[in-house]
């Protein structure tokens, strides 16, 4: 009887582990494109729009954000990248934390990694046009249109 009980417990644990693996694999990757314009002196404010391409469908969204720190100038960045840990299009919505430094003088490159409260990670990079130097902490809000 003890062998049978152990077998049932082991089978139950294997089922729990397998269900955890299934949940983890449901998270997918989506493609993201964003155009973001930012300007400021000390306090940076910006906004833009983008599109999430997920499971063959396009989901437009708006972006707004603010940063506090050493920011001076104005720039526009055309980001491309990916959204990690996404299970549905609505997961991209929310407030993303940003910590980073970057700069552009006439033309350059920018890159950022953001994460929202749902665990979605945006890894974005792209060309930056304008005159801006920054070393700031900020946040970005994304809302589906």
């Amino acid at each position: 009887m003890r062998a049978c009980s152990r077998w049932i417990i082991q089978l139950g644990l294997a089922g729990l582990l397998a269900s955890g693996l299934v949940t983890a694999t449901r998270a997918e990757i989506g493609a993201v494109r964003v155009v973001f314009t930012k300007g400021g002196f000390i306090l940076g404010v910006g906004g833009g729009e983008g599109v999430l391409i997920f499971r063959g469908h396009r989901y437009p969204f708006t972006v707004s954000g603010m940063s506090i720190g050493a920011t001076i100038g104005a720039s526009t960045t055309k980001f491309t990248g990916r959204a990690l840990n996404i299970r549905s299009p609505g997961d991209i919505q929310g407030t993303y934390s940003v910590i980073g430094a970057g700069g552009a003088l006439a033309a350059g490159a920018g890159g950022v990694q953001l994460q929202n409260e749902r665990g979605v990670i945006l890894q974005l990079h792209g060309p930056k046009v304008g005159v801006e130097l920054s070393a700031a902490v900020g946040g970005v809000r994304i809302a589906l249109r």
Side-chain angles (χ1 to χ4, degrees):
M1 190 131 187
R2 284 185 179 174
C4 183
S5 296
R6 285 185 189 160
W7 185 78
I8 291 172
I9 290 171
Q10 289 173 345
L11 185 62
L13 288 173
L16 286 173
L17 287 172
S19 68
L21 292 174
V22 169
T23 301
T25 59
R26 287 187 197 158
E28 297 180 45
I29 297 172
V32 180
R33 287 188 217 131
V34 180
V35 176
F36 192 80
T37 301
K38 178 180 167 187
F41 181 74
I42 310 267
L43 176 68
V45 179
E49 56 186 31
V51 64
L52 166 68
I53 301 166
F54 184 66
R55 295 181 184 157
H57 298 285
R58 298 171 60 87
Y59 301 93
F61 57 84
T62 59
V63 184
S64 59
M66 183 167 45
S67 63
I68 299 173
T71 299
I72 186 167
S75 67
T76 297
T77 306
K78 294 181 180 181
F79 287 114
T80 59
R82 55 192 188 160
L84 307 173
N85 302 332
I86 190 165
R87 291 177 172 75
S88 73
D91 288 347
I92 198 167
Q93 297 187 108
T95 302
Y96 287 80
S97 299
V98 183
I99 299 176
L105 181 58
V112 67
Q113 182 164 308
L114 314 157
Q115 184 170 359
N116 74 4
E117 63 274 5
R118 293 183 176 132
V120 174
I121 297 170
L122 299 180
Q123 294 177 333
L124 305 171
H125 61 277
K128 187 181 279 193
V129 178
V131 178
E132 179 206 345
L133 295 173
S134 68
V137 176
V140 174
R141 176 104 181 119
I142 292 180
L144 289 173
R145 287 195 268 166

